[in-house]
Structures are given as structure tokens and as C-alpha cells.
Amino acid sequence: MKISFLIHTVYGIGGTIRTTLNLAEELVNRHEVEIVSVFRHRDIPLFTIDPRISVVPLVDTRPNSPTNEKEHPFQLQPAAFFPQSEARYKEYSRLTDDRVRAHYAASDADIVVGTRPGLVAYVAQFAPDGAVRIGQEHMTHNHHKSALRAEMYEHLAAIDAFVTVSEGDAAVWREKMPLPSTRVLSIPNSVPEPQIAPSDGTGKVVVAAGRLASEKQYNVLINAFAKVTEVRPDWVLRIYGGGDRRPGLRDQILKMGLYNKVHLMGPHSPIEPEWAKGAIAVSTSRHESFGMTLVEAMRCGLPMISTDCDYGPREIIKDGVDGLLVPVGDVKAVVDALLKLIDDEDLRRRLGTAARESARRFDPAQVVKEYENLFEELVAATSQRSPVPDFAPVGDCVVRSDGELAITLVGPRPAADDAGLQLLCVRTEGSTEVRTFPFGQDGVATIPAGEQLGEGLWELFAESAATGGRARLGSRNVDQRGAMHAADRLVPGGPVRNLVPYVDKARGTLVLRSWVRPVHAEAGHVRLVGKKIALSGSLLGPATVVGDPVLVLRRRDKGHELTFTGQWDGENGFHFAVPCAAPAAQQITAHDVWDVFVRYASNAQPVKVGRMLDDVVMKKDIYNYPLTILPKKRKGSLVRALAKNVLRRPKQRVRVRFLYTASNDLALNVVDL
């Protein structure tokens, strides 16, 4: 078989590059293997690559190269086929779209593997006809933002298999994003046997390795090692790796007086000789999708102390057998684990020996067997693959006066034998929710009035019920007039719902915005009266009113509240007058945001104030309310202000106003001018 790996760059250093090379170097013993590197930013890869592996760079960004393409006209145009929510989106362009598509248009690869979300999307769209399409997840489901998961749904549904590096993460993907036509499974990363003798456990060195990034929590490790050196001053800590946290960690080491005990060693490749110098290995990460460094250290005969974070460490280490697991962020637990191994050489050697033995299961030969079995199964099943519909579906959408949604296919229709075409509605916020509604012979699919679609954004696809092939539903016309009467359709004492279709302007596709609230405070008019903001609205849903209404302003992420008593108007109306000076006086950042709630009874949880019972999907750009400008309250004494010459500066001011958030909830904003 010919196997093609699509990678961001193979010329750097990092976990994805290392694991791809480990896998490729074992596969090339029996298969033809190529690594397609989207970018080439240096002449020679930092890792040594088996010459039997073909390396195909697509875009040259080497600074001194005569073929440098950083200023290529297409490189300056945004990518159309790479997910916009992907972390590296800004690095991709029309040029990368074209180069990847052109490469695979001429490719005879049997297997194509994408190694990060955006490249999985490329594989789904550009892999050769008949090739098996595989996506790899080197992070975790929970690591990705919901916006990226929403963009990736159609691409993940179009590939044959999605491979995570831990079973725990695979289970989360299966639970929270069901992909009926895509096989979701876990295969661990591989780590080859070191080419050097293992650690003898006699060196008084603790070793950690990995990117110097916040999620690795090296600050926790340094704090713990400071306490270790108080009782075991002859031990040292070496931290290998590069990253943006290096200056901060260096400052921490200097301030704590640990410059003779803790050393930032920089990146090292190969890393195995450095592991072998140590007696104990440590990882204090906040999260790990797998934990390459854990396996590397264990293969070098070191007992590993690791935080018990999701998901990799607990699937790699058997606590007390080949290493020790400690709670995330627990400095004392790290100290205790280090001293336990430092003070017990027999335990240290016993765990190190067990670690070396148990880590053999991650040998490339073992891992490649799992991949080869997967390849063979998927190649055999390729003939039954669900095709993408052979048309670009476009629909008109109408919201009827009773709240029913009718979506009518317009333009070219699918082949007559494509029976069972259905409307697929997918929500990917939190756990993925999927709903289907059949298209009739007239090309109309109906979402009944009162259909309970969970709150959030719903992406729409036309899907063949027979084959599972699907495509996003484009939009021609959207008639939202029925959504303007949402308040008239509410059932007294029932939950508050509204479903509004609209066009995603970036894609030209049809999207539904659903709001569902058990009890809801619908915002009415907002008026500026002197230095007060007057707010009126209606309380809707099954709420029993006790006493006067209370407006609650809750500072976002800061846990502070301000309350104001208002009055009820009629059966369910309310109004308040909010003095702008009150939140301004409590300002603690240059951009304070206060969420707005109404408490209708002392024993009831306050409910958010928002506006959702109309046809306007994104109110933050439409509703502009008046603002108040106030002098900024100075902190500290007048004497300190004079000493700092503050009174000679122009007076500082703040702006106070109500606005809507992206979810159409009301917020109060206090911002420095």
C-alpha cells in the first residue's frame, strides 16, 4: 500500500512530528510511505528521516530561499477549505488550498492521514477518489473550542476513521459527537526502543521534558522541587524544551534562589541520552492527550511521576507499579512522590525496571500492527463508502406564523434513485445532538412548530438516508416573518422557545438559532434617564412571583454582585432604574462586563435578561443603546496621587452602557476611555 501523511511541517520539532516519523519509519519496512509537509521553513529537518520515506514540501517559507513564497499573491488570500476556527488558520491560504488539492489530485495513495484538525478537513475534501481517509487527534475533544468542533463535523463525518491516542478521549468523542459512518477508535503513539543503555538510577538528577507552555505547569514542579532541595540538597532538576514560558520560569528560578538546583536545558534531540542521565522523571501537566515524554522516559528505565490528568497518563502508568500518579496542581503531592523515590533506591530501581518493561507495548512494531489491521479493514470496506451527494443542495426557508419551519430544495435535485433524502440538523455545542426530518416528493422538509431543538446553533445538511452521504445546505431565501410573532405563540406557564433560521454569510449556508429557557426575562425598552439607565421587560415561563423584582448585576469571572430593587408592571412586566455610578464605582479592570439577571423570588435562582422573541439573530450589532460617561473613581489617597503627579494628567473617564452579547443576553459594560 501507499500511505501518505499530511502534516503541518516535518521540518521542526514537536510531538506530532516525532510520532508521525516513528509510525512512518516502521511502515516503510513493508509499504511505500510519503510525508506531505504543507510548509518548509528550513533546509534540513531537525529530526533524522529514513531516506526510504519520501518528503514532499508544498509551500516554501525559508527566509533565504530563492523560491520563498511568503509573499506569493495566493498566500495573501485567506484559505477557503481550511477551518476558520483552527488555531493555525491564519497561516493557511488559497495557496495551501491549491497546493494540497493539486498534490492529491495527482496522487495514487491508498491511505491518506491528516495529523491536525485543519489537515483532516483537507483530507476529507481532497484525498484521491478511492483512497481511505483517516484523521488523527493529537489533542483531545475537550481541548478544541465548540466553534472548531462545529466546523469539523462534516469533515469528520466524511472520513473513514478518526484515531485518538487514548481510549478515554475516544470514548468522549463517541459520546459527544456521534459519527455513524466514521469509525472512532484509539491507537496509542509509538516510541522506539532507545539506542542507548537505560538509566542505572544512580544519578541524583530529576528530569522533565516538553514544551515550556502553561499547560505543562512547570511552575508547580519548580515550587515542589524547592521544598525537595530543603531536605535533599544534593539533587538537581533539569527541564528540557523550549517555549514562550521560558522567561517566566527563569525569573521564578532566580527569585526562589534555585539557580544552582534547577536548570532550563533547552530543546534536545535526540532526548534519550538526557533521560538516561536521570534517576526520576516528572510530568506536572494540566492535561495530556497522550504523554510522549512519559513513554520516552519509561523506555529509558526511569520511574515516572505524573499528574493524573486526562487522558494519557492513567492509560500509560500503573500507579505504584511502574510509576506514581499525583493530583493535578498539588505541589505537596509532587514533593511527597519525589521524596518517596529519592529516599528509597530499591523502590526507584524496581519501578524503573517495571516502567521499561511495560513501555514495550508502545514499540512501533506493536502500534503499526494496529494501524495495518485498520488499513486492511478500511480498504476492504472502501467500496461501501457513503458518497457525498452528487449535487450542491440549496434551499428556501420559511418560518410560518405558527412557528413551523418549511425548507424547500430549489435548483438541481439529486438522482431519482436517491430515495430517502433527509434534512440533517446538527448541534455541536457540548455533546453533539443530531435530528433528522425527511424531504417529501415535493422537496419540502418540515420542522414542526414546538419541535424541541436544544439551545444553540444548528448546522443543516442534506443527507441520503440510504448511503449517509451529506452536504451542507446552501441558502437562497430566508423568510423570517413568522419568528416576529414568537411571543404570541408562548404557552402560559410553559417554557420559552424560539427558532430562527438565518444565512451564515461566510459560507452562504442555512443555519438555525434555537433559544430554550425554562424561565426567561425578555428585555424590553432601554432608556437613559439622566445618569440612570431605565430597563423594562417581561418575566415569562413557570415562575411564581414573591415580592418586588430584584435586578442582579454579576461581574463576569469575578464573583461580585450588585442588586437593585424594581417594580412589577401588570401581570408579568418589570422595570428598573440602574444608577450608572454604581458599577462604575466597582470597576476593577479596564473593561468590566456585568451579566444582567432578574430575581423574581428570594428563594429562586435569578434568570438572565435577554431578547430572543423576534427575528433578529445577532442583536449585539443591531441594538445600540445610549451610554453614560462618568469620571473614573481614583484609588488611593490624595497624598499618593499628588506624589505620583496624577492630578496634572487629564481626567480619566469611563463609559457605562447596556449591550447584547453573542447569545442575545443583556450585559452592562464599564470601559475606560
Side-chain angles (χ1 to χ4, degrees):
M1 287 187 288
K2 181 175 180 179
I3 302 159
S4 176
F5 291 93
L6 181 60
I7 193 167
H8 177 72
T9 180
V10 78
Y11 292 86
I13 191 168
T16 300
I17 300 172
R18 180 68 270 173
T19 57
T20 300
L21 290 175
N22 289 346
L23 188 56
E25 287 165 0
E26 184 66 26
L27 285 167
V28 81
N29 292 323
R30 291 174 297 283
H31 307 280
E32 182 182 352
V33 178
E34 71 172 8
I35 296 177
V36 180
S37 181
V38 178
F39 297 103
R40 180 181 187 179
H41 64 287
R42 56 168 51 95
D43 295 334
I44 301 173
L46 293 179
F47 289 121
T48 301
I49 300 178
D50 189 315
R52 296 175 296 168
I53 299 170
S54 299
V55 176
V56 184
L58 299 182
V59 177
D60 189 348
T61 60
R62 289 175 291 172
N64 299 318
S65 170
T67 58
N68 184 302
E69 297 176 293
K70 273 195 170 181
E71 300 302 320
H72 189 291
F74 285 0
Q75 182 69 1
L76 304 178
Q77 297 180 27
F81 296 91
F82 195 89
Q84 294 184 27
S85 302
E86 229 266 28
R88 291 192 178 273
Y89 172 72
K90 291 184 179 180
E91 299 175 51
Y92 284 74
S93 64
R94 179 180 169 184
L95 183 63
T96 59
D97 286 355
D98 289 353
R99 293 286 170 83
V100 175
R101 176 167 44 198
H103 175 79
Y104 285 113
S107 172
D108 59 350
D110 300 295
I111 311 286
V112 184
V113 182
T115 57
R116 62 175 299 117
L119 301 183
V120 174
Y122 272 169
V123 168
Q125 297 168 94
F126 300 146
D129 291 340
V132 168
R133 297 163 293 189
I134 295 177
Q136 288 181 333
E137 173 60 273
H138 288 278
M139 299 302 293
T140 67
H141 175 280
N142 296 334
H143 174 86
H144 300 306
K145 295 179 180 178
S146 60
L148 177 59
R149 294 198 297 266
E151 282 193 273
M152 287 301 298
Y153 179 82
E154 64 179 308
H155 304 305
L156 295 178
I159 62 178
D160 298 290
F162 186 56
V163 181
T164 71
V165 291
S166 72
E167 179 52 37
D169 188 42
V172 173
W173 277 103
R174 289 191 289 262
E175 175 191 353
K176 294 190 174 182
M177 186 175 279
L179 298 162
S181 59
T182 302
R183 184 172 173 184
V184 179
L185 71 158
S186 71
I187 299 177
N189 287 330
S190 65
V191 177
E193 184 175 2
Q195 299 302 307
I196 62 169
S199 166
D200 61 10
T202 59
K204 296 185 176 181
V205 179
V206 175
V207 183
R211 213 160 27 90
L212 303 185
S214 58
E215 66 265 21
K216 300 297 183 181
Q217 294 196 128
Y218 287 120
N219 60 314
V220 172
L221 176 55
I222 293 169
N223 286 335
F225 200 76
K227 297 182 180 300
V228 169
T229 59
E230 292 175 3
V231 292
R232 299 293 178 267
D234 49 343
W235 282 72
V236 298
L237 168 64
R238 291 183 171 186
I239 301 174
Y240 293 85
D244 58 9
R245 298 293 294 174
R246 183 181 178 88
L249 295 173
R250 186 178 58 224
D251 290 345
Q252 181 184 1
I253 292 166
L254 290 172
K255 289 177 182 177
M256 299 181 74
L258 296 173
Y259 36 82
N260 292 316
K261 301 295 181 183
V262 180
H263 306 293
L264 302 179
M265 306 295 292
H268 274 249
S269 178
I271 189 66
E272 288 79 8
E274 307 309 314
W275 288 121
K277 295 174 185 177
I280 301 168
V282 185
S283 171
T284 49
S285 295
R286 185 183 298 113
H287 61 78
E288 287 282 359
S289 56
F290 176 68
M292 279 288 290
T293 57
L294 277 66
V295 181
E296 289 173 349
M298 293 168 71
R299 296 222 70 170
C300 290
L302 272 70
M304 168 61 70
I305 298 170
S306 173
T307 46
D308 187 18
C309 59
D310 293 338
Y311 293 95
R314 67 186 60 152
E315 296 183 21
I316 295 171
I317 295 172
K318 294 180 181 178
D319 188 33
V321 176
D322 50 22
L324 300 175
L325 294 172
V326 297
V328 175
D330 191 331
V331 172
K332 183 178 184 302
V334 177
V335 173
D336 292 345
L338 282 167
L339 291 176
K340 183 175 184 178
L341 294 184
I342 287 172
D343 292 342
D344 192 335
E345 185 175 347
D346 288 341
L347 176 64
R348 197 164 70 237
R349 289 179 181 276
R350 189 164 65 252
L351 265 59
T353 300
R356 189 178 175 209
E357 183 61 33
S358 68
R360 293 182 190 277
R361 69 189 190 276
F362 300 107
D363 189 85
Q366 300 294 324
V367 173
V368 162
K369 283 182 183 177
E370 296 186 53
Y371 266 105
E372 287 182 320
N373 290 338
L374 176 65
F375 294 163
E376 291 171 4
E377 292 171 13
L378 294 177
V379 167
T382 298
S383 58
Q384 284 82 43
R385 175 186 293 147
S386 300
V388 175
D390 59 356
F391 76 114
V394 177
D396 285 344
C397 184
V398 176
V399 184
R400 295 175 175 151
S401 58
D402 64 353
E404 180 180 86
L405 267 63
I407 297 170
T408 305
L409 291 176
V410 297
R413 297 280 296 278
D417 60 351
D418 188 11
L421 193 70
Q422 59 189 5
L423 175 70
L424 181 73
C425 305
V426 180
R427 183 176 70 95
T428 56
E429 298 167 64
S431 296
T432 298
E433 188 176 352
V434 178
R435 304 291 294 279
T436 58
F437 305 90
F439 281 104
Q441 293 297 317
D442 56 357
V444 179
T446 300
I447 300 178
E451 187 71 24
Q452 298 187 8
L453 298 181
E455 177 152 341
L457 297 179
W458 290 77
E459 309 281 349
L460 302 186
F461 302 82
E463 180 185 69
S464 167
T467 67
R470 65 175 65 97
R472 282 187 183 271
L473 185 61
S475 175
R476 188 180 71 171
N477 294 310
V478 179
D479 185 344
Q480 301 170 322
R481 282 175 288 179
M484 300 173 72
H485 305 288
D488 301 332
R489 297 193 296 267
L490 295 179
V491 177
V496 182
R497 298 179 178 274
N498 196 18
L499 186 63
V500 183
Y502 70 100
V503 179
D504 181 325
K505 294 181 180 178
R507 291 197 185 103
T509 56
L510 191 62
V511 182
L512 302 181
R513 179 59 165 97
S514 176
W515 284 275
V516 182
R517 306 284 169 89
V519 180
H520 170 60
E522 178 77 357
H525 292 299
V526 175
R527 294 180 295 112
L528 185 62
V529 182
K531 296 296 183 181
K532 293 185 177 182
I533 298 176
L535 169 66
S536 63
S538 302
L539 183 68
L540 306 171
T544 302
V545 172
V546 179
D548 292 328
V550 175
L551 188 75
V552 179
L553 300 183
R554 184 174 294 162
R555 183 163 21 221
R556 191 170 295 176
D557 302 327
K558 302 300 178 183
H560 185 65
E561 287 188 353
L562 291 173
T563 59
F564 307 91
T565 302
Q567 292 182 325
W568 294 110
D569 293 330
E571 185 176 347
N572 63 351
F574 57 75
H575 68 262
F576 299 94
V578 181
C580 298
Q586 300 295 322
Q587 186 186 15
I588 60 175
T589 72
H591 191 112
D592 276 0
V593 178
W594 299 75
D595 292 316
V596 183
F597 301 82
V598 168
R599 182 180 288 119
Y600 55 88
S602 59
N603 61 346
Q605 289 293 322
V607 296
K608 275 192 172 183
V609 179
R611 193 179 181 105
M612 65 187 201
L613 297 179
D614 59 27
D615 61 318
V616 181
V617 174
M618 190 61 69
K619 295 176 174 62
K620 61 181 293 189
D621 300 324
I622 305 298
Y623 287 78
N624 292 306
Y625 293 126
L627 54 87
T628 298
I629 296 177
L630 300 171
K632 184 177 178 70
K633 183 179 179 182
R634 298 193 184 279
K635 297 181 179 180
S637 69
L638 180 60
V639 173
R640 288 200 300 273
L642 287 169
K644 293 180 180 179
N645 206 23
V646 170
L647 294 181
R648 296 182 185 178
R649 300 174 187 169
K651 290 184 177 179
Q652 291 181 292
R653 299 176 300 163
V654 295
R655 182 191 69 201
V656 182
R657 70 167 177 173
F658 274 119
L659 49 77
Y660 284 101
T661 67
S663 59
N664 285 2
D665 293 314
L666 201 61
L668 188 138
N669 203 201
V670 180
V671 181
D672 284 349
L673 293 177

